[in-house]
Amino acid sequence: MLDKRKFYINGQWVAPSAPRDCDVIDPSNEEVCAVISLGAEADTNAAVAAAKTAFESWSVTPPATRRAAVAGILAQYEARAEEMAQAISIEMGAPIDMSREDQAPCLSWHLENFLTAFDEMEWVRPLGPHAPDDRIAMEPIGVVGLITPWNWPMNQVTLKVIPALLAGCTCVLKPSEESPLSSMLFAEFCHDAGVPAGVFNLVNGDGMGVGSQLSSHPDIEMISFTGSTRAGRAISIAAAETMKRVTLELGGKGANLIFADADEKAVKRGVLKMMYNSGQSCNAPSRMLVERSIYDKAVEIAAEVASNIKVGPASEPGRHIGPVVNRRQWDQIQGYIQKGIDEGARLIAGGPGLPEGMNKGFYVRPTVFADVVPGMTIEREEIFGPVLAIIPFDTEEDAVRIANDTPYGLTNYVQSGDGPRRNRLARRLRSGMVEMNGTSRGAGSPFGGVKASGRAREGGHWGLEEFLEAKAISGWDSSS
């Protein structure tokens, strides 16, 4: 068991001011794998004070200096990538092969994309030829509080910390108490890369404690949060008193529109994407909308694919899915599965309880419901587990209506061989992202949603500019 009862504040590891232990549970076996401390208000205040002091110098460093520091973090990751993969796997249950190939490399992928965007950034820009003596200066917003989730821990840490540092901000990170080990390793990367003291700080804690303290702290200029819509609303309310900028990346209930002319792998692709990471992704295609003429065949394929997905411990190699993160999450998913049965959806794969042969660990059977009717609980609410709802539709208009009839708006998906139709749907679907025919978003593409999915745009140029403010300057001396 790892003892991680320390915080990273002002360039050094420090003991908590009022130790309050919290066990980190390995979801594969329900055993304690580490012990952390939850921060008290004094710890939060110390971290914010360090960041505020460091901002005075960090905010005016040459861009090349900030770039070198971030490149140093990348070098640290490349030297210790296996440690990162192991930390993520044990803390939140990602199978080790998936952690090595996808979870941990989120750090290098996003960091390199940010460096590309950074190199293209124009920090002082002309307003336009109509105003030759006007400039727009892009300047760091100040001290930022960063609150990240457990499901893709390094993905979200990188999407927040790296652009903040490149922009010239200083920050305090509160990772999820469910998955703190990868973030504490990231803090080591920052230290060993020579990031100046106070520029990056980490305080472990829960939402009611450190999360609330950051959200209302008068010296924090901005909160960037990824997590549940419920928590996002609470953070927005708390931050309003001090007029903070708030960027939120929240939940989703993505629709995957499969038309009769879709390619033969469309249904299988949709099921596998839904079950990936044990369904614990905000952009998961959890509602499969299928054109009625191919509906019965799609249901048959989906049932077969889901039934063949293996479930196993995160430590084992292979293409299986692992457990969900904790007992609370497991119980919640079981409740949704039972709700689907009770409300009359047709269970065609999986179902309640642990997978066969398992009696320990937070494992969920890959579950698929057919004949789901819009308005059912499993169609409306984000389950955040390996549970897919299949719904038939008759026309393109019908599909759009069902897809958009949700509080959420993060990612939607379209499967069709008709190019003009895909383009129409891409514009009509109410979401921050649309992925079509299995094509992933390109490097530097912004990640974020609309409506109850929040309004953040993370990644690339958009991710950098979230941490910058535009200053209008007139009377600029063009000769200097």
Side-chain angles (χ1 to χ4, degrees):
M1 183 178 67
L2 301 173
D3 186 343
K4 294 291 185 177
R5 289 173 287 189
K6 54 187 178 179
F7 306 137
Y8 187 72
I9 299 175
N10 204 28
Q12 56 188 330
W13 293 100
V14 299
S17 63
R20 184 161 62 101
D21 288 352
C22 175
D23 291 339
V24 181
I25 305 298
D26 180 343
S28 290
N29 56 27
E30 303 184 42
E31 295 177 1
V32 177
C33 62
V35 178
I36 63 169
S37 284
L38 301 180
E41 190 165 10
D43 303 306
T44 304
N45 289 341
V48 174
K52 184 178 180 181
T53 297
F55 179 74
E56 296 304 314
S57 56
W58 184 250
S59 61
V60 295
T61 55
T65 301
R66 302 198 297 274
R67 191 192 196 286
V70 167
I73 297 172
L74 177 60
Q76 289 297 316
Y77 165 75
E78 289 173 342
R80 303 175 67 180
E82 179 63 17
E83 288 181 65
M84 182 60 75
Q86 293 287 346
I88 294 172
S89 184
I90 195 172
E91 70 187 356
M92 58 74 61
I96 186 60
D97 284 350
M98 181 251 193
S99 190
R100 288 175 178 141
E101 295 168 10
D102 206 353
Q103 284 272 10
C106 287
L107 190 158
S108 55
W109 168 258
H110 290 307
L111 193 152
E112 289 168 350
N113 292 338
F114 278 126
L115 289 179
T116 298
F118 182 80
D119 291 342
E120 297 169 352
M121 180 68 69
E122 191 174 11
W123 297 96
V124 180
R125 311 168 182 178
L127 178 60
H130 68 288
D133 296 329
D134 281 43
R135 294 293 184 273
I136 304 298
M138 304 303 294
E139 299 187 346
I141 192 169
V143 179
V144 298
L146 310 175
I147 304 175
T148 57
W150 46 261
N151 60 320
W152 286 89
M154 209 35 50
N155 184 74
Q156 295 309 126
V157 167
T158 308
L159 282 171
K160 297 182 190 301
V161 174
I162 297 303
L165 299 188
L166 288 172
C169 297
T170 56
C171 60
V172 180
L173 170 67
K174 188 209 84 65
S176 170
E177 66 274 25
E178 303 286 350
S179 58
L181 306 181
S182 54
S183 291
M184 296 181 81
L185 183 58
F186 179 88
E188 293 182 22
F189 293 172
C190 291
H191 180 273
D192 294 348
V195 175
V199 170
F200 169 82
N201 306 272
L202 180 150
V203 180
N204 283 315
D206 55 20
M208 294 298 292
V210 176
S212 295
Q213 292 155 17
L214 290 173
S215 300
S216 59
H217 201 291
D219 290 332
I220 294 278
E221 297 290 342
M222 171 183 169
I223 291 288
S224 178
F225 169 78
T226 298
S228 72
T229 298
R230 175 193 53 78
R233 289 192 183 101
I235 286 170
S236 296
I237 292 169
E241 189 67 28
T242 49
M243 305 299 289
K244 291 177 176 31
R245 178 184 295 177
V246 178
T247 61
L248 304 174
E249 199 279 283
L250 307 176
K253 193 69 178 176
N256 185 11
L257 281 58
I258 301 181
F259 289 85
D261 63 354
D263 68 87
E264 62 181 11
K265 296 183 179 179
V267 174
K268 179 179 180 179
R269 186 167 61 240
V271 175
L272 293 177
K273 189 170 182 66
M274 176 62 235
M275 303 302 172
Y276 197 60
N277 203 38
S278 301
Q280 300 170 121
S281 299
C282 53
N283 63 340
S286 54
R287 296 181 296 153
M288 181 179 285
L289 279 55
V290 181
E291 191 167 5
R292 197 173 298 275
S293 63
I294 61 166
Y295 180 75
D296 291 342
K297 182 61 175 177
V299 168
E300 180 184 328
I301 293 170
E304 181 182 3
V305 172
S307 297
N308 286 326
I309 294 173
K310 292 181 170 58
V311 182
S315 59
E316 291 185 359
R319 294 298 173 187
H320 59 287
I321 65 171
V324 296
V325 72
N326 58 28
R327 170 65 61 182
R328 182 180 67 253
Q329 191 73 11
W330 190 89
D331 287 342
Q332 179 172 293
I333 295 166
Q334 296 303 310
Y336 277 115
I337 293 173
Q338 190 59 51
K339 196 79 168 176
I341 295 170
D342 294 344
E343 292 184 359
R346 177 161 56 107
L347 182 66
I348 61 170
L354 288 167
E356 186 177 348
M358 293 182 168
N359 58 15
K360 181 184 285 189
F362 306 125
Y363 300 100
V364 177
R365 300 169 68 192
T367 297
V368 180
F369 285 98
D371 304 347
V372 174
V373 176
M376 285 182 175
T377 303
I378 60 171
E379 190 270 341
R380 296 294 293 174
E381 298 184 14
E382 184 179 38
I383 298 172
F384 226 62
V387 181
L388 174 65
I390 306 182
I391 307 162
F393 69 84
D394 293 302
T395 65
E396 184 177 319
E397 288 296 323
D398 193 27
V400 170
R401 177 184 55 79
I402 296 170
N404 286 342
D405 185 20
T406 172
Y408 297 103
L410 188 59
T411 311
N412 285 310
Y413 301 82
V414 178
Q415 320 299 326
S416 172
D418 184 334
R421 168 192 278 159
R422 291 200 308 271
N423 292 349
R424 284 196 305 273
L425 290 168
R427 299 303 304 274
R428 295 189 64 194
L429 292 170
R430 289 280 294 143
S431 56
M433 298 171 284
V434 178
E435 297 185 13
M436 301 188 287
N437 287 356
T439 303
S440 298
R441 294 172 301 109
S445 178
F447 188 102
V450 299
K451 302 191 289 185
S453 294
R455 305 280 173 173
R457 292 293 182 272
E458 297 185 320
H461 290 276
W462 292 270
L464 272 172
E465 292 193 356
E466 283 197 332
F467 293 91
L468 295 168
E469 292 188 304
K471 175 187 286 183
I473 304 171
S474 59
W476 185 264
D477 181 5
S478 302
S479 64
S480 62

